[in-house]
Amino acid sequence: MQQLHSKILGEGKPLVILHGFLGMSDNWKTLGAQYAKAGFQVHLIDQRNHGRSFHSDAFDYDILADDILGYTAQHGIGQAIVMGHSMGGKTAMQLATDQSQLVEKLVVADIAPKFYPPHHQDIVDALNTISIHHISSRGQADEALSRYIPDLGIRQFLLKNLYWADKERLGFRFNLPVLSQKMEEIGENIPPTAQYSGPTLFLRGDRSEYISPDDYPGIKRHFPQAKIEVIDNAGHWLHAENPQQFFTKSMAFLNS
């Protein structure tokens, strides 16, 4: 079995953190360091087809959850707190409902247990339009993307994935060809009867449309112990937009 790339920070109770679509473990390094300082052994994981982890044509939530199960076995983790954002939140939900004995507590950031129609198409189309191998600097890549993606924050998020594929060519760490084909999978839901009855916290950004009060009954059906809290002045990237409140609210739950 191929092993996922991760960064492990600190000592203590294992806390596994899963990034979102087109993200990577680096997106969580600041918060990860804070959790480590607070007494957790933090595992910042790159999911398959993302970051420094392996690329594969196989990609759905059953497979992503299975990857995490394999990772915990390889690292001798018997039980962990699992936290996931967006796509990573769906992976975390799938893992918790499949392997409840492994998940001591669950934290889901700005995603609900429901189907989401493909909605990243404009970003994926923009990434496929630019000729990344003919670009020789981050500035050039930003300029090329800016024609299609006006939001600087989204461009900066995507450009974190740039690396030198060789001495003269830049590339993206995520597996764009496969992820472009798997857009339906990103929006998929956990199975209708899936349930995890352990302690669960859902955090949503007050400016995000990913979770609305209409989703609360569905959350409670799958996760009967779920608490739902709002992060102020934050959209979908709530952990980056209001990290202080994200840390405070998540820590109150982790210590409860």
Side-chain angles (χ1 to χ4, degrees), residues 178-191:
V178 166
L179 295 176
S180 299
Q181 295 165 9
K182 299 288 185 178
M183 296 297 285
E184 288 278 341
E185 294 293 345
I186 307 301
E188 270 302 331
N189 192 16
I190 59 174

Side-chain angles (χ1 to χ4, degrees), residues 108-226:
V108 178
D110 214 59
I111 200 82
K114 67 177 183 181
F115 174 76
Y116 290 82
H119 53 285
H120 297 296
Q121 199 63 54
D122 52 342
I123 291 174
V124 169
D125 288 348
L127 290 167
N128 278 311
T129 301
I130 68 169
S131 301
I132 192 63
H133 295 315
H134 298 119
I135 287 170
S136 59
S137 72
R138 184 175 293 269
Q140 277 186 5
D142 184 47
E143 187 181 343
L145 276 178
S146 70
R147 294 173 206 148
Y148 308 97
I149 303 172
D151 188 307
L152 176 62
I154 292 175
R155 294 202 309 275
Q156 287 177 330
F157 167 77
L158 295 169
L159 292 172
K160 281 180 184 286
N161 287 279
L162 273 185
Y163 78 110
W164 288 103
D166 58 38
K167 282 184 181 177
E168 295 174 356
R169 287 186 319 131
L170 283 165
F172 286 117
R173 292 204 179 276
F174 43 66
N175 185 351
L176 188 58
V178 166
L179 295 176
S180 299
Q181 295 165 9
K182 299 288 185 178
M183 296 297 285
E184 288 278 341
E185 294 293 345
I186 307 301
E188 270 302 331
N189 192 16
I190 59 174
T193 57
Q195 195 174 73
Y196 169 72
S197 56
T200 305
L201 175 66
F202 278 75
L203 293 167
R204 57 175 286 245
D206 66 344
R207 297 200 301 260
S208 173
E209 297 175 354
Y210 276 71
I211 300 179
S212 76
D214 292 345
D215 299 319
Y216 292 3
I219 289 171
K220 290 285 193 180
R221 189 168 64 251
H222 289 287
F223 304 95
Q225 279 204 62

Side-chain angles (χ1 to χ4, degrees), residues 66-88:
D66 229 35
D67 285 345
I68 307 305
L69 181 63
Y71 177 91
T72 57
Q74 284 161 345
H75 288 266
I77 298 170
Q79 199 176 44
I81 296 162
V82 181
M83 178 184 295
H85 169 244
S86 199
M87 181 192 85

